[in-house]
Amino acid sequence: GAPTTLADLSRVNGISWGTSERIIVSANDQLVSVPSVGGEPSVLARVDSTSGETGMRWPLALADGKTILYSSFTAGSSTSGRRIGLLKIGDSKQRVLDIKGTDPLAIIEGYLIYCDGNVGLMAVKVDVRSGKRLSEPVPALDGALIGGGGAFKGALSQSGSVLYVSANSQTQLALVGNGSERPLRPGTDFYSFPRFSPDGRKVVMSIGSGAQRDVWIYEIASGTMQKVSNAGTVNERPEWTPDGSRVLYRSNRDSMDAIWWQPADMSGAATLLQAPPKGAGAWEAVISP
């Protein structure tokens, strides 16, 4: 059938179906409730700015219909600094638990399954009623791909079955055309976002996964690689300027997700091109002719 518009929301980072009548959504870094048949969203909780919280993402509505777990982000927090938050619908204040991680996925037999940006999926025993951690976290699944925003690239069922993208999914950089395929580099790596230079002689790309991604330039004729980014842990989505003199890309350096650019011949340092609005992030930029 035709899709139905449920609500007009922006900057959505996670959706969880709470009860048959209610859908919980992270929108604009706050938690809102949307009627399952569609309608005006209502705000359940806003960030606790007094504690430095800047975002509430990846909600998990529990079966009791009253409790929501979520990812609590703070200003400039790295993946290891994010924590699991707990909200009781109707309470005036949410709590941040003593659990470092993101994207709560399910509670199975008393164990919360969630993401750790450096490991994969973790399991920790919790008492949801008191909000206390009852055990030390232990690895539940290694090698699962966790996105840059701390979101699990997969799904977990209540029975414990898991479907996921492997973090070890390396790829090959190849030139394809006229019915042929030629590898540009031997072996495999974590390539993403390859872009030809305007003159077709070079390719800029992001290489890396998980906690470290950097921008590189590959010269096709010589087969040489030049690292472009030298700061931050996430540098990706590179694009060329129309004259090929500069490369612009997203970077999380200086504790913010912003767009930086620098000379492609590495004759100068990277400079800030576009800073995001306060509390937001810039994720991609394309420059016009």
Side-chain angles (χ1 to χ4, degrees):
T4 300
T5 299
L6 299 181
D8 184 11
L9 297 168
S10 61
R11 294 184 62 215
V12 171
N13 285 299
I15 302 172
S16 180
W17 206 308
T19 65
S20 58
E21 298 85 19
R22 185 196 305 266
I23 299 173
I24 310 302
V25 183
S26 168
N28 285 319
D29 280 322
Q30 60 188 9
L31 297 184
V32 303
S33 173
V34 177
S36 60
V37 296
E40 190 68 24
S42 58
V43 176
L44 293 177
R46 294 181 170 87
V47 295
D48 182 10
S49 56
T50 59
S51 66
E53 189 176 51
T54 59
M56 306 172 72
R57 303 179 186 177
W58 317 121
L60 170 66
L62 300 186
D64 63 7
K66 299 178 181 179
T67 308
I68 301 171
L69 298 176
Y70 64 94
S71 303
S72 176
F73 284 61
T74 56
S77 66
S78 63
T79 301
S80 61
R82 300 164 187 169
R83 294 180 180 272
I84 302 298
L86 183 148
L87 171 70
K88 292 285 187 178
I89 295 178
D91 286 358
S92 59
K93 186 175 177 61
Q94 56 267 25
R95 287 180 289 170
V96 177
L97 309 183
D98 184 26
I99 303 173
K100 291 184 178 180
T102 58
D103 201 358
L105 298 170
I107 291 184
I108 300 176
E109 297 181 356
Y111 283 86
L112 169 64
I113 312 299
Y114 65 99
C115 291
D116 182 295
N118 300 315
V119 177
L121 294 192
M122 301 291 288
V124 62
K125 197 162 190 177
V126 295
D127 181 347
V128 175
R129 182 174 298 178
S130 66
K132 291 183 178 180
R133 191 183 77 182
L134 303 179
S135 72
E136 290 297 317
V138 295
L141 177 67
D142 294 331
L145 182 62
I146 310 299
F152 176 54
K153 300 296 186 181
L156 179 65
S157 75
Q158 286 297 325
S159 68
S161 298
V162 63
L163 176 71
Y164 68 97
V165 178
S166 171
N168 299 317
S169 301
Q170 295 189 351
T171 55
Q172 187 177 54
L173 193 67
L175 190 63
V176 180
N178 299 322
S180 65
E181 178 179 317
R182 174 171 67 90
L184 290 182
R185 299 191 70 210
T188 59
D189 211 328
F190 295 100
Y191 299 112
S192 60
F193 308 105
R195 299 289 187 267
F196 276 112
S197 62
D199 61 11
R201 298 178 180 179
K202 299 177 181 179
V203 179
V204 67
M205 71 199 80
S206 181
I207 302 179
S209 66
Q212 186 65 51
R213 282 162 274 172
D214 284 295
V215 173
W216 294 74
I217 291 178
Y218 176 76
E219 188 171 340
I220 297 175
S222 64
T224 57
M225 292 283 288
Q226 174 71 55
K227 188 178 179 182
V228 177
S229 55
N230 57 9
T233 59
V234 177
N235 300 279
E236 62 180 6
R237 299 181 181 270
E239 296 285 349
W240 295 90
T241 56
D243 61 4
S245 66
R246 288 175 174 264
V247 171
L248 55 151
Y249 56 93
R250 170 207 170 202
S251 178
N252 69 347
R253 66 188 70 193
D254 293 350
S255 300
M256 62 178 175
D257 291 303
I259 304 301
W260 293 70
W261 67 345
Q262 66 190 93
D265 61 3
M266 305 305 294
S267 60
T271 56
L272 182 64
L273 176 63
Q274 179 64 50
K278 186 177 181 180
W283 293 86
E284 186 173 18
V286 179
I287 193 164
S288 68

